[in-house]
Amino acid sequence: MTAQGAATPAKFAVVGIGNALVDVIAHVAEDFLTENNLSKGAMTLIETERAMELYAALGMAVEMSGGSAANTMVGVASLGGSACYIGKVNHDDLGDVFGHDMRAVGVPFSGGGVDHDTPTGRCIIVVTPDAERTMNTYLGVSSSLCIDDLDDEAIASGQVLYMEGYLFDRDDAKAAFRHAADVAHANGRQVSLTLSDSFCVDRHRDGFRALVDDCVDILFGNAAELLSLYETDSLDEAIAAVRQRCNLTVITKGAAGCVIATADELIEVAAVPVERVLDTTGAGDLFAAGFLHGLTLGKPLGECGAIGAIAAAEVISHVGPRPLVELRTLLPDG
C-alpha cells in the first residue's frame, strides 16, 4: 500500500492513535496483594467496579500518562521530533492527568468526544518491596474510540500515522483505523501499524492481515508477533510472507537487534548493549519512536534502526516505559 495524495508540508512528524491509559503506580506491602486478591507479577484485565475498588484501596500513588502508542509519541518528542496523539479519555481527574502529561512534554493531545458514563482507562501498578510489579489494567473509555473521536485534521497533517494494535479489539476501533488510514493516504502520508502483542495478533489475525494488505505502509512487530501473524515457526518464512505484502517491515529481536525488510533488501541492525536491563516495558514503543524519527528525517533505513536501538536501550536501563533523559542528547549528532 502506498500514499496516494499530493502531500502538503506536514505539521507533525508522527501522529499516534492508541489506548489512552493513566499509569497509577503505588508501593505497597506484600500483604496488600493477599488482601486484594492480586496475582503477583501478572498483568490482569479488569472491569469498572474492580478498577474503582483497587484505586480506592491504594494509598499514596504516582499518576502519569501511559499507553503504548502514547509512549512512542513521547519518545518522538524526546528525540526532537514533532508528534501528536489521539486517544479517548473521559473528562474526569485521570483524563485531565493524561492530557496534562502529554502536553507537558510537547505532544498535543486529542481526547475524543465526551462520554460521561465510562471512566478514563488506567493501569494500576503495585510494586512490592522486592520490586516486583503487579499490574491490573482497566481499558475504560479508551477502548471505545470510534471514527467520531478522530481528529482528521491532525491525521492529515502528520508525515506518518502510527496505530497501536492493542486498540484493535472492537469493531468501532477497526473502522476508526481504516478511516484514519484513508485520511492519511488521501493526504499523501504514510500509515504504520504496531502489532503490539502476539496474543493480540492471535485474537485478530485475519483483521490484522487484511489491514496490512489494504492500508499499511510500515509494519512494526517483534519476532513472536510476526510468527503469529503468518502462522509459522520460521522467522524466515514470516519475513518472506510480509515482504510480499508490506513496503517496509521492522522486526525487533530483543538483544539480537532487528531486521528491516523491504521488497528489495534485508538489513540487520545490532542492539545497543545495556549493562543491566531493569525493565523491558516500553522497549518496542521507544524503538518505534527512534525508527520513525529517523525515517521522517529521511535517514537511511539502517540508521533509522540504529536510532531505534539507542532509544530502546535507554528505556530498558531503568524502571518505567518512558525515557528519563532527553533522547536527542544520546544521538551521535545530538
Side-chain angles (χ1 to χ4, degrees):
M1 191 73 198
T2 55
Q4 298 160 356
T8 56
K11 180 179 179 182
F12 302 109
V14 189
V15 175
I17 301 176
N19 280 321
L21 304 175
V22 174
D23 289 339
V24 181
I25 306 171
H27 291 265
V28 300
E30 195 75 30
D31 57 8
F32 182 91
L33 302 183
T34 306
E35 291 166 2
N36 290 278
N37 196 27
L38 298 177
S39 179
K40 185 170 182 175
M43 195 292 281
T44 306
L45 283 173
I46 57 175
E47 298 299 328
T48 305
E49 185 177 345
R50 177 66 165 155
M52 298 301 104
E53 174 188 293
L54 283 177
Y55 187 65
L58 295 175
M60 185 177 296
V62 175
E63 298 174 346
M64 63 185 74
S65 62
S68 172
N71 294 337
T72 300
M73 297 308 101
V74 171
V76 171
S78 182
L79 285 158
S82 55
C84 176
Y85 185 67
I86 299 168
K88 192 161 189 174
V89 298
N90 203 340
H91 294 255
D92 53 18
D93 288 348
L94 289 185
D96 292 342
V97 166
F98 189 95
H100 174 271
D101 281 359
M102 296 300 287
R103 296 179 187 110
V105 294
V107 178
F109 169 60
S110 176
V114 176
D115 179 342
H116 292 299
D117 297 326
T118 310
T120 293
R122 66 208 64 188
C123 183
I124 297 171
I125 304 165
V126 293
V127 185
T128 39
D130 60 359
E132 184 78 64
R133 293 154 63 91
T134 299
M135 296 186 282
N136 285 262
T137 302
Y138 169 61
L139 295 175
V141 76
S142 73
S143 64
S144 69
L145 184 137
C146 63
I147 289 174
D148 290 344
D149 297 312
L150 298 177
D151 183 340
D152 286 2
E153 186 177 338
I155 294 167
S157 62
Q159 278 181 257
V160 178
L161 173 67
Y162 180 80
M163 304 188 294
E164 175 190 314
Y166 279 128
L167 191 58
F168 204 64
D169 270 320
R170 295 175 63 258
D171 287 343
D172 279 352
K174 293 172 186 175
F177 272 28
R178 286 188 172 268
H179 175 85
D182 287 346
V183 171
H185 282 147
N187 286 275
R189 313 307 185 185
Q190 290 187 293
V191 173
S192 63
L193 171 72
T194 175
L195 293 172
S196 292
D197 186 283
S198 56
F199 295 109
C200 193
V201 177
D202 290 342
R203 288 199 304 276
H204 306 297
R205 183 175 293 110
D206 290 345
F208 275 140
R209 281 185 180 177
L211 194 68
V212 170
D213 288 351
D214 299 342
C215 303
V216 174
D217 306 300
I218 308 161
L219 181 66
F220 291 94
N222 63 30
E225 291 156 7
L226 201 72
L227 292 174
S228 174
L229 186 65
Y230 293 108
E231 297 181 282
T232 176
D233 295 326
S234 164
L235 187 57
D236 288 342
E237 286 182 12
I239 291 172
V242 78
R243 290 176 78 183
Q244 297 176 36
R245 293 168 170 83
C246 191
N247 294 344
L248 173 60
T249 306
V250 188
I251 307 107
T252 55
K253 302 188 295 179
C258 76
V259 179
I260 302 166
T262 70
D264 301 320
E265 61 181 339
L266 288 176
I267 303 168
E268 298 259 3
V269 178
V272 172
V274 175
E275 186 173 328
R276 186 180 174 206
V277 176
L278 289 183
D279 182 3
T280 58
T281 309
D285 302 338
L286 271 295
F287 178 90
F291 189 92
L292 289 172
H293 178 64
L295 192 70
T296 56
L297 291 177
K299 303 281 189 185
L301 293 178
E303 192 172 334
C304 296
I307 297 171
I310 290 168
E314 192 283 335
V315 82
I316 65 175
S317 68
H318 58 77
V319 174
R322 293 193 175 172
L324 294 184
V325 302
E326 291 291 340
L327 293 176
R328 63 176 71 94
T329 67
L330 304 179
L331 300 180
D333 54 355

